Amino acid sequence: MRLDYLTIFPDYLAPLRLSLPGKAIDSGLLELHVHDLRAWTHDRHHTTDDTPYGGGAGMVMKPEPFGEAFEALGVGAGDTVVFTTPSGQPFDQRVAEDLATRERLVFACGRYEGIDQRVIDHARTIAEVREISLGDYVLNGGEVAALAITEAVVRLLPGFMGNAASLVEESHAEGGLLEYPVYTKPRTWQDREVPDVLLSGDHGRIARWRHEQAVRRTAERRPDLLHPSALDDGTPIVRAVRGDAEELLTLQRACWVQEAIANEMLDIPALHETLDEVRADLDRWETYVVRRAGRLVGSVRGRLDGDVWEIGRLAVAPDLQGQGLGRVLLGHVEAVAPSGAASYRLVTGARNERNLGLYKKAGYRLRRDLAAPSGAVTLTKRL
Ligand code: ADE
């Protein structure tokens, strides 16, 4: 892969020659060229910016130096020009994987208020253009963004990383989950122990624990990353808001009518709830919903009762049942249980074989010793 950088601060990109990218350059995997944009200016002051047409604060980077640079560097078909800008597409692992497939990336690093729009429009006529943002904050210029993008892209090149397995396991790489917590020696440090499961030698248990930890972390820190893989359309499970109340009520009615018929019982409280009650419950419970093609198709909720995380209203639209969405919603609400919770508890229809099967598979045990409304049973699971 060949990488070119157009910048007015070439020194900013010196770290590229350190560490792993440096090794890749030595091994011939990478060819790297940092260019001082001022080389393509012709005035005494090597001017690369000017005031904006239409007025306003700040300076805009002039088009001519970029235009000449593209020409001098032979930027053309097959190349990808990356403009680093806060108004670009958010950078993530998927974008990195995509860029890693390119033969040549040319980074155009903007400073000040940005680059004259005609540079980007022109670049589009000669090469592929990507406008990429590192995140929703403003840096002084695009150099740091170009460095970060480079590091994320280059380490994906075949032969770059010594250990390919660590590429697969790490955060954002597989399943879009954050990484589970990791530990190394010593076993005890400042009275803090490494979790027992990691010392058990039971690889199945370890893998399950790590997956659970990854899901829990993701749910706590980045719920936007969680989505029902069973549906696999990328729809995230999100916290319900008041505006969801009407649709929640409709979903609930559709599901509980079905449940009532299956159980031959029509006094299921959820079936008779009003919109106001649904709204009030949104304040009392943490309710999560998932949409498909805009339609609210699944819900679940949880609240803490002492040290018990009480789970309820697991509902999936009747036409989407049997695809695993219920299991995904259950996993989600389990994962967001607050740290004070020691067990999960839920109630379901005593004759609802489908739900009972789902809960048992998820590790719940029937608890005839615990109270339940008539026609229902209580199930629990330890955290
Ligand atoms: N230049 C300035 N801010 C930036 C950001 N957030 N991402 C990419 N380039 C930038």
Side-chain angles (χ1 to χ4, degrees):
M1 177 182 257
R2 173 176 169 151
L3 301 171
D4 290 273
Y5 301 82
L6 292 170
T7 171
I8 54 168
F9 292 115
D11 290 347
Y12 233 115
L13 296 160
L16 283 171
R17 303 202 179 269
L18 298 173
S19 168
L20 284 171
K23 273 191 213 157
I25 295 167
D26 296 343
S27 71
L29 200 61
L30 261 191
E31 201 185 312
L32 204 137
H33 304 271
V34 178
H35 311 277
D36 187 345
L37 192 66
R38 295 189 200 279
W40 291 286
T41 56
H42 304 289
D43 63 315
R44 210 154 50 90
H45 300 292
H46 301 292
T47 310
T48 53
D49 63 330
D50 209 333
T51 54
Y53 273 118
M59 301 290 273
V60 175
M61 294 193 79
K62 291 166 66 61
E64 306 95 315
F66 281 106
E68 286 186 31
F70 291 155
E71 205 176 321
L73 299 175
V75 177
D79 298 338
T80 298
V81 182
V82 177
F83 290 93
T84 47
T85 159
S87 44
Q89 170 192 21
F91 186 60
D92 65 13
Q93 191 67 20
R94 304 289 91 75
V95 176
E97 283 162 8
D98 184 29
L99 293 179
T101 65
R102 303 296 192 274
E103 287 286 321
R104 183 187 190 191
L105 300 177
V106 180
F107 288 90
C109 304
R111 284 257 144 190
Y112 316 116
E113 293 306 305
I115 300 173
D116 188 303
Q117 180 62 36
R118 291 168 295 180
V119 175
I120 297 127
D121 298 341
H122 166 64
R124 262 189 237 288
T125 67
I126 58 171
E128 182 197 27
V129 163
R130 303 291 294 266
E131 292 180 80
I132 298 178
S133 167
L134 211 52
D136 291 337
Y137 41 80
V138 180
L139 303 166
N140 271 337
E143 284 78 6
V144 168
L147 273 177
I149 294 168
T150 301
E151 188 150 323
V153 167
V154 161
R155 59 197 294 289
L156 297 174
L157 298 179
F160 182 76
M161 292 274 284
N163 179 5
S166 60
L167 265 186
V168 176
E169 270 184 26
E170 69 198 336
S171 287
H172 300 294
E174 208 182 27
L177 294 177
L178 301 184
E179 206 172 355
Y180 47 79
V182 293
Y183 299 85
T184 185
K185 292 172 216 47
R187 250 177 97 155
T188 308
W189 178 74
Q190 296 199 350
D191 294 333
R192 294 174 187 276
E193 302 288 337
V194 171
D196 281 342
V197 57
L198 298 178
L199 310 168
S200 68
D202 179 341
H203 297 297
R205 253 184 85 209
I206 292 172
R208 278 194 300 282
W209 182 85
R210 285 179 165 165
H211 181 71
E212 268 178 40
Q213 293 289 320
V215 171
R216 169 179 290 270
R217 257 193 180 180
T218 311
E220 279 170 7
R221 301 176 186 182
R222 295 291 309 278
D224 56 304
L225 293 177
L226 280 183
H227 61 82
S229 53
L231 287 182
D232 211 22
D233 66 349
T235 327
I237 297 173
V238 294
R239 186 84 188 261
V241 294
R242 286 201 142 213
D244 293 323
E246 270 103 344
E247 283 178 281
L248 262 174
L249 185 67
T250 307
L251 173 73
Q252 211 166 279
R253 284 191 177 145
C255 294
W256 268 271
V257 162
Q258 205 188 20
E259 166 115 355
I261 294 166
N263 281 278
E264 289 168 39
M265 53 184 283
L266 286 169
D267 58 348
I268 297 175
L271 198 51
H272 306 291
E273 246 173 23
T274 64
L275 188 57
D276 281 342
E277 285 167 330
V278 172
R279 284 206 184 103
D281 274 353
L282 284 174
D283 296 332
R284 289 195 282 259
W285 293 76
E286 263 181 46
T287 302
Y288 293 88
V289 292
V290 63
R291 291 180 178 275
R292 194 178 194 189
R295 179 170 68 115
L296 198 152
V297 295
S299 76
V300 69
R301 67 189 193 183
R303 72 174 171 194
L304 205 55
D305 174 15
D307 65 352
V308 177
W309 184 239
E310 193 183 343
I311 293 172
R313 300 293 158 86
L314 179 60
V316 173
D319 58 310
L320 292 177
Q321 289 176 5
Q323 298 180 20
L325 182 55
R327 180 71 194 88
V328 174
L329 283 161
L330 181 62
H332 181 82
V333 77
E334 287 180 352
V336 297
S339 50
S343 66
Y344 307 115
R345 184 177 68 217
L346 50 82
V347 168
T348 191
R351 284 196 262 173
N352 190 330
E353 294 304 330
R354 182 203 285 266
N355 281 5
L356 287 169
L358 169 84
Y359 297 136
K360 282 185 183 162
K361 245 193 189 158
Y364 285 78
R365 288 187 21 230
L366 200 58
R367 295 289 301 272
R368 300 225 180 260
D369 56 316
L370 297 178
S374 105
V377 286
T378 298
L379 296 102
T380 63
K381 173 181 165 180
R382 271 188 210 282
L383 245 83

